[in-house]
Amino acid sequence: MAPAAVAAAEGGEGAQQQLQIVEAMEVDMEAAAAAVQKKKTTGGRRGRREMRRIEDATSRQVTFSKRRSGLLKKAFELGVLCDAEVALIVFSPRGRLYEYASAPDLQKTIDRYLNHTKGSTPANVKALETAGAQMCRSESTALKQKIDAIEAYQRKLSGEGLQSCSAQELQELELQLEKSLSSIRQKKEKKMMDQILELREKEEKLLRENSVLREEYMALPLLELATRSVEAAAAPRSPVGEEQAEEEKDDEEEREQRYMDVETDLVIGRPGTSSLQ
């Protein structure tokens, strides 16, 4: 950017700041006139505002505008009257930025502040660090004591380091062990019952499968016989088989005829007169 443009920009920003200050002065003058008028009507008594957040949004915005203008005016007066380098940054509730710097550039004032506080640590920061370190040390000590107590109690539960225990402490340890043992037994019984139920379900499933397999095995011979019958009926007969069947049929007929043609000595009529039939 050219020097002339930079100067023009700085001049524009300065003019805008001057305009804001003039507006703030006008608002303050109006507020002062209103205060004088109120003082006349109320007899000179002045109310005191309670320092807390204003709930009404409109009243809060009006108060912000008035106080912002007064703050800018005070910063301007401080820079002019006392030749001080003043920088002011304000963000409105809606996030709008308002700034004022007695120097030509606000960033230079900010850099000057950062350089001034770079090597120094404020006293309150040191106090906070010290308090934080002390708190961490106390918490660490308390945690260490708790860990030691828990470890000692675990050793006592395992039967170690009982010499320093009183009768009351031993009785409490015994009750605690009995309670723990009862809880463990309940958990164990529940686990075993769950396993038994699971095994019973598996047994019933296997029995059903075995029954199905037995029925299939019993029906297997009948199925094979029916299958063979169907295959024999469906299979075509060969000529050799037919001839053999005819020969067997002829042999059967010859045997029957032979049995019928056997001669016997049979006498029919009176004795002495025989005729051979």
Side-chain angles (χ1 to χ4, degrees), residues 130-222:
T130 304
Q134 183 66 27
M135 185 180 296
C136 291
R137 284 193 295 270
S138 60
E139 290 180 356
S140 176
T141 304
L143 289 175
K144 187 176 183 303
Q145 292 176 356
K146 289 182 180 180
I147 292 172
D148 293 339
I150 293 171
E151 290 178 351
Y153 187 71
Q154 289 180 347
R155 287 194 297 270
K156 291 178 181 179
L157 288 176
S158 61
E160 300 176 359
L162 300 177
Q163 293 80 7
S164 60
C165 295
S166 62
Q168 182 68 23
E169 291 177 352
L170 292 174
Q171 186 178 1
E172 291 177 357
L173 288 173
E174 183 180 2
L175 293 175
Q176 181 63 36
L177 288 173
E178 290 178 355
K179 184 178 179 181
S180 301
L181 184 59
S182 176
S183 178
I184 292 171
R185 286 175 178 172
Q186 290 178 0
K187 293 291 184 182
K188 180 182 176 182
E189 291 177 358
K190 186 177 183 303
K191 289 288 184 182
M192 293 180 67
M193 291 299 298
D194 293 341
Q195 291 179 359
I196 290 172
L197 292 176
E198 185 178 357
L199 291 174
R200 285 180 179 176
E201 291 178 357
K202 289 183 179 179
E203 181 184 5
E204 292 177 357
K205 182 178 179 182
L206 291 174
L207 289 175
R208 289 194 298 268
E209 293 179 355
N210 191 15
S211 177
V212 173
L213 291 175
R214 184 181 293 110
E215 292 176 357
E216 292 179 355
Y217 177 75
M218 295 296 293
L220 185 61
L222 298 176

Side-chain angles (χ1 to χ4, degrees), residues 51-66:
M51 296 305 296
R52 62 183 182 87
R53 183 177 181 272
I54 301 174
E55 298 298 333
D56 185 64
T58 304
S59 301
R60 186 168 59 247
Q61 182 63 31
V62 172
T63 304
F64 172 77
S65 299
K66 292 181 179 180

Side-chain angles (χ1 to χ4, degrees), residues 28-41:
D28 287 344
M29 291 175 65
E30 293 176 358
V36 171
Q37 183 66 27
K38 184 178 180 180
K39 185 176 180 181
K40 291 180 180 179
T41 56

